[in-house]
Amino acid sequence: MSSQHVKRVDLIFEKIECRDVLKKIVDMEPDAICQELLESDLKGRGGAGFPTGLKWCFTASEKDPVKYIVCNADEGEPGTFKDREILDLVPGKVFCGMAIAGKAIGAKMGYVYLRGEYKFLIPKLNEELKKFHQTMDEFNQNFRIQIRLGSGAYICGEESALFESIEGKRGEPRNKPPYPTKSGLFGKPTVINNVETLVHSVMIMKYGASHFKELGTKDSRGSKVFSISGDTPKAGIYELELGMTVDEFVNDFGDGDTKAVQVGGASGFCVPRKKFEETIIGFEGVPTGGSMKLFNSTRSMYNVLHNYLDFFTEESCGQCTPCRVGCQQLLKGVEAVKRGEKNSKYLDELVKLAKTMKRASKCGLGQSVGNAFGSIVENFKEEIIY
Amino acid sequence: MVNLSINGMLVKVPEGTTILDAAKKMNFRIPTLCHHDDLCVAGNCRVCVVEQLGAKSLVAACASPVSEGMQILTNSLKVRSARKHIIELLLSEHNADCTKCYKNGMCELQNLSNEFAVGDHIFIDLNTIKDYTIDRFSPSIQKDDSKCIRCQRCVRTCEQLQGVNALTVAFKGDHQRITTFEDLSMAEVICTNCGQCINRCPTGALVERTYLDEVWDVILDPTKHVVVQTAPAVRVGLGEELGLEAGSRVTGQMVSALKRLGFDSVLDTDFTADLTIMEEGTELLTRLKKALVDKDPEVALPMTTSCSPGWVKFIEHTFPEYLPNVSTCKSPQQMFGALAKTYYAQVRKLDPKDVVSVSIMPCTAKKYEADRPEMRSSGFKDVDYVLTTRELARMIKQAGVDFNKLKEDKYDSIMGVSSGAAVIFGATGGVMEAALRTAYEIVTGREVPFEGLNITPVRGMEGVRQASVMIEDCKEEWSFLNGVELKCAVAHGLVNARKLMNGVKSGDIEAHFIEVMACPDGCLGGGGQPIPTNEEIRRKRTEAIYAEDMSMEIRKSHENPEIIGIYREFLGEPLGHKSHELLHTHYTKRVRY
């Protein structure tokens, strides 16, 4: 085992004076803020990896006088818990990031959509919010933030379902286009960013895009906070430089017996040991919102898959056919194969179905169920069948 | 304009057009399920997915606007495989006991399965795993979740067309269901029984409660005298269900068919529509007199119609403070029922207990209305069974009657003669127009000042319409109405009814008389009418209704000789003692969920 550690970084949790950053922003031209973000190559940290600067530029160019900033703090991906830590330790930076985005696009109102299970954070967030609003007043900035609590539906992390939820409706994804940059919350142009992304924007505004770009690779700039769990002696939250291979990661965080790593939670990919070396954690390899789950040889990959499918079967919003019924069929299907009621060829049918789900589902949830399913079935077929 | 290609063929369409409509223009049909012309786009079922070259995933044709240079394939390998999967998935969740289903042969899912030759049964039957019960508590609507494909057309109908929201989506994932407030039965919630959800449900999940067998039983019982009445809108709808073009007028054949089915007397709801005009018109004039001459502060104006039981239930739930404004007249169906067991039985020398009254309605709420406890003023149930237009078509098929070859026949007497004014009850604005034709003439002694008696301002498809008639040169006894501008308002579809009532509440809408029909475009778009429905089909039915009116010898209710006869021989005068007892009713405040 190599003793080489993956590079630790301390930007996200670094205690800084947000006031100073805000003060700097107040006098900046909105366009300059967008350009700085574009220059940084920052990609959204929720998992999808859309260039943040581009998102801001699109929204800034919309003519509507009313626009919104939404912070997606509905951290629901199994195995992810890093946003909770960010909100707990540096909440001021999150609000600061929202204010920067607000300035960049011309929004006067921001919402934090907080995962229902993180309700305990509210007193602390409110206290911080009070200070933030005072600072805004002091700088004559007309920008306000409200906190909205989710009710525990995984789908409400999907941006358009999240808007529906804030609007008081049932959390179901909308048809796209139109995209949020054009028609988001309350039908207005909206920037929606993940907690970590917003904090990164603060650091970029503080230290500059070039500083941010010193870390990571061409496709995956900067650092990223990971929630590491499973069969590891070092479970927890770590900020690491992007661009490492799974092999490097496992050398550092594994327990010496790691047979697979699930990168990106239930909706991400399962990387088997034989692919550790060739797989880069980042947008050029396996993208992730931050969840890293390690499995050692004591784990049944059938159980892992079953667990994920059970999760999706329950958490699909149920609106579109491929996702609602597809999830149930994948779950019942692997159970039937396991019990011997269907022969092993049936797995091939299910893999085809997973492809249809990826292609035909309405939103990211249904489209990503096939990731875990395909990668686990493909790499651990024997464990699924026998 | 936007240029794109569909299956390699270039097409130019206006910006904002969906891929679905662009393809339709090119004569490429893309299958759909959750899509409906009357409703907003959902993009739920995904049956309409097509391939957009360069896009990562397939796109829903119904929900995607075209964009410049777009290249679309509607029948590629990827599309075919996904579409087949989607249909198989829907079937795996659906109780596909098709031969026993009311919608057998008329089910959109069944048609799709046929087209895509689905017979592989790839997937596991999920329906057997779940425990479903059928909701049969409502007298009008039957809801069977095991046949529901969660396309949410019913939910969108209840929300967008009716603003009632009795149906909604609950739970998520595999537990997702279409249900009601606290999962109560359809009989216990705010449901108005309008049946618009039935008209838009693509499968057999929502259907009317049928009473076909009960009606056959009484027809075939020699001790019973069965009278049947047919509503105005049935005669312009029935043909569709029997293979004719939308808007075919089949009055004569329908009467002929009903006689062949074995009804003892085939009569016309239009007769009591004329009677309603006499009663309701007099009621309106009486209220106006109380308000204008007696300055009675208690009198409730505007007065609203009470013909549509969906509307009546809606106002009972939603605007109970306006219940005194609703005309106390029973609907034509109920007036007919009450008279069938009294006047008719008396003239025909029948024991009312042997008279069974059946009505053929374009409406599912009529089934509910007939069951209301108030509707027994003759001492018997006014109307025993209500069948929809669809159910009648089924009876005709069951009896082996070749409808299209039938010769036209005429309604029996008594209570079979009617006027053009009664026929137009079938269209939105019709009751208003019929009432004005009579009320104006009673008051002034002259015909309404519109060409050919056609009061066109109250006609049309607009959700809420307003019109007024200046009343001048009145007869002496009505002189208090001289110079009064009689203001009318019409709404159809309950979402418009709500708008109208809110307008009345806020003072934005001033009216003396209001007509509301619960269903879009009135009874001819009723919940019991043939499926499918859309604006074009309803327009054709509307045209047929007005053509029927124009073809009638008598066009005004008060000139109907049988109406004159019934007042002379039985009722006395409008709003008289007997009328009050048999033809009028009262209303009940109801819960709001």
Side-chain angles (χ1 to χ4, degrees):
Chain A
M1 202 193 288
S2 152
S3 61
Q4 176 81 47
H5 283 297
V6 178
K7 187 175 175 190
R8 309 290 207 267
V9 185
D10 185 21
L11 276 170
I12 295 286
F13 295 105
E14 181 197 2
K15 295 274 189 297
I16 60 161
E17 197 55 69
C18 287
R19 263 183 79 87
D20 298 343
V21 183
L22 286 170
K23 195 167 186 180
K24 178 178 167 191
I25 301 308
V26 167
D27 298 323
M28 277 181 79
E29 285 298 318
D31 190 49
I33 302 176
C34 290
Q35 287 308 319
E36 191 74 23
L37 259 291
L38 264 184
E39 175 61 28
S40 76
D41 276 351
L42 172 66
K43 287 182 179 168
R45 294 316 200 216
F50 191 81
T52 306
L54 216 49
K55 195 185 265 187
W56 291 16
C57 286
F58 285 157
T59 319
S61 68
E62 289 293 328
K63 296 278 182 288
D64 204 308
V66 180
K67 297 176 185 177
Y68 296 103
I69 302 295
V70 175
C71 168
N72 186 346
D74 188 76
E75 188 177 34
E77 189 61 48
T80 320
F81 39 91
K82 45 102 188 167
D83 286 349
R84 181 187 64 198
E85 192 93 338
I86 296 171
L87 288 161
D88 196 15
L89 298 180
V90 288
K93 277 180 158 179
V94 179
F95 300 143
C96 179
M98 292 175 74
I100 295 169
K103 173 84 186 184
I105 68 158
K108 294 181 180 62
M109 188 72 213
Y111 291 90
V112 177
Y113 187 81
L114 188 68
R115 177 175 189 185
E117 289 87 340
Y118 293 174
K119 196 174 169 182
F120 68 95
L121 287 170
I122 286 190
K124 193 170 193 172
L125 290 175
N126 275 336
E127 203 177 303
E128 191 65 32
L129 201 52
K130 211 187 229 170
K131 279 191 245 163
F132 169 80
H133 283 147
Q134 275 165 5
T135 312
M136 288 279 100
D137 287 343
E138 212 177 299
F139 294 152
N140 281 322
Q141 295 298 297
N142 181 16
F143 183 76
R144 284 290 178 275
I145 292 174
Q146 279 186 13
I147 298 172
R148 292 293 161 95
L149 205 60
S151 309
Y154 174 72
I155 187 60
C156 289
E158 196 278 342
E159 51 193 22
S160 61
L162 189 155
F163 298 148
E164 293 281 301
S165 178
I166 292 185
E167 291 174 16
K169 293 179 253 171
R170 180 181 158 83
E172 284 185 346
R174 299 173 182 170
N175 287 302
K176 292 176 200 170
Y179 294 96
T181 52
K182 205 176 178 67
S183 172
L185 187 63
F186 302 112
K188 298 293 179 186
T190 302
V191 156
I192 174 162
N193 280 140
N194 155 276
V195 171
E196 189 185 342
T197 315
L198 288 164
V199 174
H200 272 299
S201 76
V202 180
M203 303 317 283
I204 289 166
M205 294 319 292
K206 182 173 163 70
Y207 296 116
S210 52
H211 181 78
F212 177 80
K213 277 161 76 172
E214 282 169 16
L215 290 170
T217 64
K218 187 175 155 289
D219 292 318
S220 307
R221 300 282 189 198
S223 63
K224 165 105 198 69
V225 188
F226 290 89
S227 328
I228 298 164
S229 63
D231 298 318
T232 164
K234 299 189 200 167
I237 290 156
Y238 298 85
E239 186 178 350
L240 307 172
E241 181 180 6
L242 279 169
M244 63 196 143
T245 64
V246 177
D247 191 51
E248 287 166 326
F249 173 81
V250 169
N251 280 344
D252 204 343
F253 292 95
D255 64 357
D257 183 28
T258 308
K259 76 168 175 189
V261 181
Q262 180 76 18
V263 182
S267 63
F269 294 87
C270 180
V271 183
R273 189 199 294 233
K274 62 178 184 239
K275 292 184 184 161
F276 281 179
E277 272 183 54
E278 64 189 64
T279 309
I280 295 173
I281 300 165
F283 298 106
E284 60 268 68
V286 278
T288 171
S291 165
M292 301 294 282
K293 279 188 187 173
L294 294 90
F295 302 113
N296 67 20
S297 63
T298 65
R299 304 292 161 189
S300 149
M301 294 312 284
Y302 171 81
N303 286 347
V304 169
L305 178 62
H306 190 275
N307 197 324
Y308 288 158
L309 291 175
D310 207 27
F311 175 80
F312 284 128
T313 299
E314 182 167 326
E315 292 297 347
S316 160
C317 80
Q319 184 185 193
C320 84
T321 315
C323 180
R324 180 187 69 247
V325 199
C327 287
Q328 296 176 66
Q329 287 295 348
L330 293 182
L331 177 65
K332 299 288 172 207
V334 295
E335 285 175 350
V337 170
K338 192 73 172 176
R339 284 198 299 263
E341 288 164 14
K342 294 263 183 194
N343 77 29
S344 59
K345 283 221 171 85
Y346 192 63
L347 281 184
D348 300 339
E349 290 292 343
L350 295 180
V351 169
K352 281 189 217 156
L353 171 61
K355 266 190 195 138
T356 289
M357 291 168 69
K358 198 179 183 81
R359 286 177 187 150
S361 292
K362 189 168 181 174
C363 83
L365 198 170
Q367 287 163 8
S368 63
V369 175
N371 297 346
F373 186 84
S375 53
I376 294 176
V377 168
E378 185 189 333
N379 295 306
F380 300 94
K381 202 163 186 170
E382 303 74 30
E383 288 191 45
I384 306 302
I385 298 170
Y386 304 108
Chain B
M1 296 298 272
V2 177
N3 297 288
L4 70 154
S5 88
I6 297 177
N7 300 334
M9 294 166 74
L10 296 175
V11 61
K12 190 183 270 222
V13 292
E15 209 177 319
T17 308
T18 61
I19 296 174
L20 184 71
D21 288 335
K24 203 178 276 173
K25 202 179 158 192
M26 304 291 291
N27 287 322
F28 287 115
R29 191 179 66 86
I30 299 172
T32 54
L33 258 183
C34 69
H35 177 78
H36 193 284
D37 290 345
D38 287 338
L39 306 172
C40 79
V41 166
N44 291 344
C45 74
R46 315 306 281 179
V47 166
C48 71
V49 284
V50 293
E51 188 172 349
Q52 179 186 350
L53 290 185
K56 264 194 294 182
S57 47
L58 301 173
V59 295
C62 73
S64 307
V66 293
S67 59
E68 186 62 32
M70 197 180 229
Q71 291 172 284
I72 297 293
L73 299 174
T74 66
N75 196 34
S76 67
L77 270 181
K78 269 186 199 167
V79 170
R80 290 187 56 80
S81 130
R83 198 168 283 159
K84 192 165 167 164
H85 265 144
I86 290 162
I87 296 166
E88 286 268 9
L89 288 174
L90 285 168
L91 286 170
S92 78
E93 214 187 21
H94 176 80
N95 175 3
D97 199 356
C98 300
T99 51
K100 289 185 195 164
C101 181
Y102 184 67
K103 289 290 280 290
N104 187 16
M106 295 177 291
C107 165
E108 291 180 42
L109 180 62
Q110 198 180 34
N111 292 345
L112 267 181
S113 312
N114 268 330
E115 283 177 22
F116 285 82
V118 181
D120 302 345
H121 304 296
I122 305 174
F123 299 124
I124 293 166
D125 182 2
L126 299 169
N127 205 263
T128 51
I129 301 168
K130 297 178 185 176
D131 192 18
Y132 292 110
T133 49
I134 303 174
D135 176 2
R136 287 198 185 88
F137 287 100
S138 160
S140 302
I141 295 173
Q142 178 170 313
K143 179 166 170 282
D144 181 354
D145 286 352
S146 75
K147 290 174 185 163
C148 174
I149 55 167
R150 283 103 172 133
C151 66
Q152 303 189 22
R153 273 200 206 167
C154 57
V155 175
R156 283 176 283 148
T157 302
C158 205
E159 181 192 330
Q160 289 170 15
L161 293 182
Q162 301 300 64
V164 170
N165 293 294
L167 290 167
T168 188
V169 185
F171 311 112
K172 56 186 163 60
D174 52 339
H175 297 292
Q176 192 224 37
R177 284 200 305 119
I178 309 302
T179 186
T180 54
F181 177 74
E182 288 209 324
D183 219 6
L184 290 165
S185 77
M186 293 290 279
E188 295 166 288
V189 294
I190 196 165
C191 171
T192 64
N193 303 299
C194 71
Q196 290 300 312
C197 54
I198 297 176
N199 286 10
R200 286 165 189 78
C201 175
T203 68
L206 285 162
V207 295
E208 69 263 44
R209 286 285 309 282
T210 70
Y211 300 93
L212 273 179
D213 290 339
E214 288 86 339
V215 171
W216 278 123
D217 285 352
V218 291
I219 287 179
L220 299 172
D221 180 346
T223 66
K224 298 291 182 196
H225 182 93
V226 189
V227 294
V228 63
Q229 54 163 319
T230 65
V234 178
R235 65 205 71 194
V236 297
L238 181 67
E240 282 165 56
E241 201 74 358
L242 294 161
L244 300 176
E245 288 276 305
S248 305
R249 286 158 55 198
V250 295
T251 320
Q253 287 95 326
M254 175 180 71
V255 171
S256 184
L258 287 164
K259 289 184 178 174
R260 290 199 178 202
L261 295 183
F263 286 102
D264 294 297
S265 196
V266 179
L267 302 173
D268 201 351
T269 313
D270 288 15
F271 167 77
T272 34
D274 279 333
L275 192 63
T276 299
I277 291 304
M278 300 305 292
E279 294 289 328
E280 203 168 89
T282 313
E283 186 183 359
L284 176 65
L285 292 173
T286 309
R287 287 196 193 201
L288 286 173
K289 179 172 177 293
K290 278 186 188 162
L292 298 173
V293 180
D294 310 341
K295 311 281 182 208
D296 179 355
E298 297 287 302
V299 67
L301 282 173
M303 187 177 93
T304 88
T305 55
S306 54
C307 303
S308 166
W311 153 243
V312 169
K313 187 149 187 272
F314 179 78
I315 196 171
E316 287 180 328
H317 283 291
T318 318
F319 295 96
E321 67 274 29
Y322 281 100
L323 287 179
N325 296 61
V326 183
S327 160
T328 60
C329 288
K330 284 184 182 175
S331 72
Q333 161 176 285
Q334 293 307 131
M335 285 194 182
F336 193 102
L339 292 174
K341 307 258 170 120
T342 53
Y343 173 64
Y344 178 87
Q346 189 181 308
V347 174
R348 287 296 188 90
K349 301 190 171 51
L350 295 162
D351 185 339
K353 78 171 168 44
D354 297 328
V355 176
V356 180
S357 103
V358 176
S359 68
I360 314 292
M361 292 284 144
C363 177
T364 49
K366 288 285 173 193
K367 292 173 188 268
Y368 164 81
E369 186 186 38
D371 266 8
R372 287 175 75 120
E374 304 90 345
M375 301 298 177
R376 301 179 144 265
S377 45
S378 63
F380 299 90
K381 202 176 167 204
D382 292 344
V383 175
D384 295 289
Y385 302 107
V386 179
L387 302 182
T388 60
T389 310
R390 298 187 291 265
E391 285 173 279
L392 173 60
R394 194 157 291 212
M395 277 186 92
I396 292 169
K397 286 180 194 164
Q398 286 180 0
V401 172
D402 188 346
F403 188 77
N404 298 326
K405 289 190 181 150
L406 288 179
K407 288 221 170 73
E408 296 192 14
D409 204 341
K410 282 204 155 58
Y411 283 102
D412 294 321
S413 182
I414 47 173
M415 295 167 52
V417 176
S418 64
S419 72
V423 166
I424 57 172
F425 267 56
T428 163
V431 178
M432 176 67 64
E433 183 169 344
L436 288 179
R437 284 184 193 173
T438 288
Y440 190 88
E441 200 161 320
I442 289 177
V443 170
T444 65
R446 300 185 307 276
E447 286 192 344
V448 276
F450 290 93
E451 200 185 330
L453 293 174
N454 297 329
I455 310 179
T456 44
V458 299
R459 297 185 183 180
M461 297 268 201
E462 194 93 2
V464 176
R465 305 189 293 280
Q466 288 176 264
S468 67
V469 184
M470 198 58 162
I471 303 179
E472 281 158 332
D473 295 329
C474 295
K475 288 185 185 169
E476 206 183 317
E477 63 266 41
W478 300 104
S479 57
F480 65 90
L481 285 173
N482 264 330
V484 169
E485 190 187 5
L486 187 69
K487 291 178 180 164
C488 309
V490 173
H492 61 117
L494 291 172
V495 84
N496 294 316
R498 188 187 289 270
K499 269 185 216 156
L500 175 54
M501 291 311 291
N502 281 335
V504 169
K505 214 169 185 169
S506 67
D508 291 341
I509 291 179
E510 275 186 57
H512 297 104
F513 191 29
I514 288 173
E515 179 205 299
V516 180
M517 290 293 149
C519 294
D521 300 315
C523 303
L524 51 87
Q529 290 282 66
I531 302 168
T533 181
N534 61 36
E535 206 175 301
E536 193 194 336
I537 290 173
R538 295 193 294 273
R539 183 170 286 133
K540 286 181 180 165
R541 293 178 193 160
T542 309
E543 283 163 9
I545 284 260
Y546 287 116
E548 184 94 351
D549 167 32
M550 292 298 281
S551 76
M552 303 286 282
E553 278 170 37
I554 309 161
R555 309 250 336 267
K556 294 174 282 191
S557 300
H558 57 280
E559 289 178 359
N560 178 341
E562 285 198 346
I563 292 291
I564 296 166
I566 197 173
Y567 278 114
R568 189 179 57 226
E569 292 160 23
F570 186 71
L571 289 171
E573 55 176 0
L575 292 191
H577 177 70
K578 203 141 203 174
S579 293
H580 193 79
E581 193 183 306
L582 291 176
L583 309 181
H584 290 257
T585 186
H586 59 273
Y587 307 101
T588 314
K589 182 181 173 176
R590 294 177 199 276
V591 292
R592 284 181 188 240
Y593 52 82

